[in-house]
């Protein structure tokens, strides 16, 4: 018997993003996040049209990058912290240009999957952070 992963998450928000652009932004944020145990990278939906990728380092400073959201359904106000290396691993194996990221809340796992066909589904649990 297998777990139905779609039942784990209540999808408050589903956003569509460019995979390569998001991967590059997460990669840059991870440069600042590597001093933390979980490579904390923060994602925040801004104005329902953009996503802010951020991370801090006590020695280097803070990085913030804003990228456009192609489409959003659901809640337009969300912040979540994830392990950037897990997020990058998931984005690297998806080959499609556009992805859907489904959020269920600040302390609930996210789903990442290709827009056109669900050849893969990635579940990433959040990390607790105070930003």
């Amino acid at each position: 018997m297998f777990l139905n992963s779609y039942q784990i998450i209540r999808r408050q928000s589903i956003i569509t993003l460019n995979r390569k652009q998001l991967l590059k932004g997460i990669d840059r944020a991870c440069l600042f996040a590597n001093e933390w145990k979980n490579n904390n990278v923060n994602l925040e939906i801004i104005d329902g049209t953009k996503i802010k990728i951020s991370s801090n380092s006590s020695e280097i400073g803070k990085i913030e990058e804003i990228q456009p959201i192609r489409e959003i359904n659901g809640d337009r106000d969300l912040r979540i912290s994830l392990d950037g290396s897990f997020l990058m691993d998931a984005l690297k194996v998806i080959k499609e240009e556009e992805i859907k990221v489904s959020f269920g809340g600040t302390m609930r796992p996210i789903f990442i999957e290709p827009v056109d066909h669900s050849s893969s589904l990635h579940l990433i649990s959040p990390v607790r952070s105070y930003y």
Side-chain angles (χ1 to χ4, degrees), residues 4-121:
N4 182 352
S5 55
Y6 283 100
Q7 291 177 349
I8 293 174
I9 190 169
R10 288 182 318 215
R11 296 177 178 217
Q12 279 181 262
S13 298
I14 301 173
I15 61 173
T16 303
L17 300 162
N18 179 284
R19 181 192 62 85
K20 285 183 184 177
Q21 188 177 6
L22 181 62
L23 177 58
K24 288 177 183 178
I26 298 297
D27 190 27
R28 286 186 286 270
C30 280
L31 294 174
F32 284 67
N34 63 9
E35 79 177 40
W36 299 103
K37 182 175 134 186
N38 295 321
N39 288 321
N40 291 12
V41 172
N42 307 311
L43 301 178
E44 180 179 0
I45 297 174
I46 301 174
D47 300 330
T49 59
K50 298 174 269 216
I51 188 163
K52 179 168 77 171
I53 303 164
S54 63
S55 187
N56 338 320
S57 168
S58 58
E59 294 177 11
I60 303 171
K62 184 174 185 174
I63 185 171
E64 289 185 355
E65 180 174 327
I66 297 186
Q67 296 184 1
I69 293 174
R70 297 211 174 155
E71 184 182 341
I72 185 167
N73 295 309
D75 193 359
R76 295 173 178 267
D77 183 34
L78 185 76
R79 295 172 105 182
I80 192 165
S81 292
L82 301 163
D83 185 319
S85 59
F86 290 160
L87 191 52
M88 284 195 328
D89 288 345
L91 294 172
K92 285 177 184 177
V93 297
I94 297 172
K95 300 303 176 204
E96 288 77 4
E97 182 179 327
E98 288 192 335
I99 57 164
K100 285 191 299 188
V101 182
S102 304
F103 298 93
T106 302
M107 289 308 298
R108 294 191 175 271
I110 66 167
F111 279 126
I112 301 175
E113 59 188 321
V115 168
D116 294 332
H117 45 329
S118 57
S119 59
S120 61
L121 175 66

